[in-house]
Amino acid sequence: MSEFKSTDKEYIAGTYNRFDVQLVSGKGSKVKDINGKEYIDMGSGIGVTAFGFADDEWNSAVCDQINKLQHTSNLYYTKPSAKLAELLCKKTGMSKVFFGNSGAEANECAIKVARKWAAENKGVDCYKIITLENSFHGRTITTLAATGQSHYHELFNPLTDGFIHAPANDLLALEKMLEENNVAAVMFECIQGEGGVIALDDEYIKGIEALAKKYNFLIIVDEVQTGNGRTGKLYAYMNFGIKPNIVSTAKGLGGGLPIGAVLLDDKVGDVLGFGDHGSTYGANPVCSAAALTIINRLTDDFLAEVKQKSDYIFSEFESAKGVESVSGMGLMVGIKTQKPAGDVVKDAMEKGVLCLTAKDKVRLLPALNIPFEDLKTAVQIIKSCL
Ligand SMILES: *Cc1c(COP(=O)(O)O)cnc(C)c1O
């Protein structure tokens, strides 16, 4: 039951298919609906509330900053965004950061950097960006063009020119495209999230890096969903031993406030100059203060715990009845169930666990700090729904 269901349906554009549940408050990985029913949250607002609801450290950083200064515009210096950019660069070895407000906006910036770099270094005819089939990069006209799933494109044409889609895990097909096109960048998710929680092959990702040396293109990794500790490393590319030129991220970065970031290595760190790009809300001090509490806590010890929780989830579901396969990495898990995934998610919700779907899979993206007790309870409840 949701008291605002009819108001929502009447006044909010119908882009979402909501569950008939109205959430009102949460603490940690538990959240309550309007009837007082409590759920264990295994979705974290699609990988956003990285440290759960009303996390003490996050809350106090956000409240402190909000009481001082909620916004300044980018005409002035502020401490939280400078500290956050420094922290992100120190932890990744990248050179520069651009801040925006969402994943799509981060990818837009990544694409602009690639185009300008290519125009200056390879000529203005070099603007093509190769992305992968079944990828997801966002909902703006340009990031839709980057997204390699045609069902998102229908009725929104013409999209931004210059994107071609390669089959994933096929280095020969990729090299053929590189020979036939003037390519500025190859852009991919190390684990395709919306596409069904599918990790790319280790060999393929390393192969892209080898091809980048041969054909002189940039590597853009879309870490909007996989980033910020989600896979058990700070960024998912770190699991594959590559060094991308550009990393885009958002979702979990702000722990529940809208912030996106583009990390640029030394090859492209100075591509964007004065007037080339901007975002009114970008580098917002409250969102930056929130993100500092997330990134600061992603230590090796903490990430080792993420891996332990991941191992628990994988071993429980790999041996469970009614499961065809388990995919993903860290606390980004896709479960192919014999029953339709939507039925499992509905059933779990009735029993007090919130889950997500991705394509035909049940998708789990719990808070990175979910207590083991809550995780165990949630996993056993989901198993009882299979
Ligand atoms: C969610 C997502 C996006 C889009 O992020 P928004 O914040 O919704 O714009 C882009 N890329 C990937 C991989 C995502 O998972």
Side-chain angles (χ1 to χ4, degrees):
M1 240 280 296
S2 337
E3 63 177 334
F4 287 106
K5 183 175 175 180
S6 60
T7 315
D8 181 304
K9 291 245 180 246
E10 188 169 351
Y11 295 108
I12 295 184
T15 56
Y16 305 110
N17 185 17
R18 302 192 205 280
F19 292 101
D20 197 1
V21 171
Q22 187 179 331
L23 298 176
V24 289
S25 66
K27 184 72 190 166
S29 280
K30 290 190 174 140
V31 61
K32 277 191 185 140
D33 73 13
I34 186 134
N35 302 314
K37 178 173 170 178
E38 191 171 74
Y39 305 84
I40 299 175
D41 179 23
M42 293 292 283
S44 62
I46 318 189
V48 168
T49 49
F51 280 78
F53 300 104
D55 169 69
D56 291 337
E57 194 172 330
W58 186 92
N59 266 16
S60 71
V62 167
C63 293
D64 280 354
Q65 185 56 45
I66 250 177
N67 283 321
K68 281 187 202 140
L69 200 64
Q70 83 276 34
H71 173 83
T72 59
S73 87
N74 282 299
L75 297 173
Y76 312 99
Y77 295 102
T78 57
K79 180 173 164 184
S81 58
K83 296 278 285 181
L84 178 60
E86 179 187 39
L87 184 64
L88 287 168
C89 287
K90 291 233 159 104
K91 284 199 164 215
T92 58
M94 297 300 243
S95 311
K96 290 266 164 60
V97 181
F98 179 86
F99 290 116
N101 314 285
S102 68
E105 202 186 343
N107 285 335
E108 290 269 348
C109 175
I111 291 161
K112 278 180 75 173
V113 172
R115 284 209 176 168
K116 187 172 177 204
W117 172 82
E120 287 180 339
N121 291 278
K122 297 179 74 180
V124 287
D125 292 337
C126 179
Y127 57 82
K128 290 227 167 98
I129 294 179
I130 299 177
T131 62
L132 300 185
E133 289 171 6
N134 196 47
S135 59
F136 183 85
H137 298 296
R139 305 283 196 161
T140 62
I141 290 292
T142 295
T143 56
L144 269 186
T147 293
Q149 302 188 58
S150 55
H151 69 96
Y152 285 114
H153 298 172
E154 279 158 28
L155 303 181
F156 296 107
N157 290 307
L159 303 177
T160 306
D161 190 19
F163 291 89
I164 40 181
H165 305 126
N169 297 322
D170 186 343
L171 283 170
L172 286 177
L174 181 63
E175 182 149 19
K176 190 154 181 284
M177 280 185 179
L178 289 163
E179 277 165 1
E180 290 169 358
N181 294 278
N182 221 341
V183 172
V186 173
M187 175 172 175
F188 57 90
E189 305 151 86
C190 293
I191 304 168
Q192 296 186 329
E194 304 303 309
V197 197
I198 304 166
L200 298 181
D201 294 344
D202 190 65
E203 258 172 69
Y204 182 68
I205 292 182
K206 289 192 170 82
I208 295 174
E209 189 169 59
L211 288 172
K213 295 210 170 79
K214 185 166 166 193
Y215 292 90
N216 190 28
F217 60 82
L218 300 175
I219 295 179
I220 306 174
V221 180
D222 179 342
E223 297 258 10
V224 173
Q225 189 162 157
T226 54
N228 314 303
R230 181 53 56 192
T231 67
K233 296 266 189 198
L234 182 58
Y235 290 99
Y237 74 79
M238 295 169 174
N239 293 294
F240 297 89
I242 60 156
K243 289 195 76 189
N245 305 104
I246 305 176
V247 173
S248 59
T249 190
K251 288 197 169 90
L253 176 61
L257 281 173
I259 182 170
V262 184
L263 316 185
L264 305 167
D265 79 348
D266 54 3
K267 189 164 175 173
V268 293
D270 295 323
V271 168
L272 291 181
F274 174 66
D276 280 335
H277 199 48
S279 172
T280 301
Y281 281 123
N284 173 277
V286 181
C287 300
S288 301
L292 272 168
T293 73
I294 304 294
I295 300 299
N296 261 324
R297 281 185 282 175
L298 301 178
T299 59
D300 289 346
D301 286 350
F302 180 85
L303 293 172
E305 265 176 47
V306 167
K307 284 204 188 107
Q308 278 170 16
K309 289 172 190 168
S310 172
D311 289 345
Y312 170 75
I313 298 177
F314 273 84
S315 70
E316 285 293 306
F317 285 106
E318 273 167 349
S319 61
K321 263 195 215 142
V323 170
E324 281 176 14
S325 59
V326 189
S327 63
M329 203 180 269
L331 290 176
M332 179 171 179
V333 183
I335 306 163
K336 175 100 183 67
T337 51
Q338 280 161 7
K339 279 193 197 167
D343 292 355
V344 175
V345 169
K346 254 196 188 147
D347 198 8
M349 175 177 278
E350 240 142 66
K351 293 179 176 164
V353 178
L354 302 181
C355 309
L356 307 165
T357 58
K359 288 271 168 75
D360 58 352
K361 290 179 184 160
V362 176
R363 174 172 43 157
L364 306 180
L365 299 171
L368 304 179
N369 69 342
I370 184 171
F372 237 112
E373 280 307 303
D374 293 346
L375 180 63
K376 282 184 183 158
T377 308
V379 165
Q380 298 314 319
I381 289 175
I382 298 166
K383 281 174 77 175
S384 79
C385 303
L386 298 174

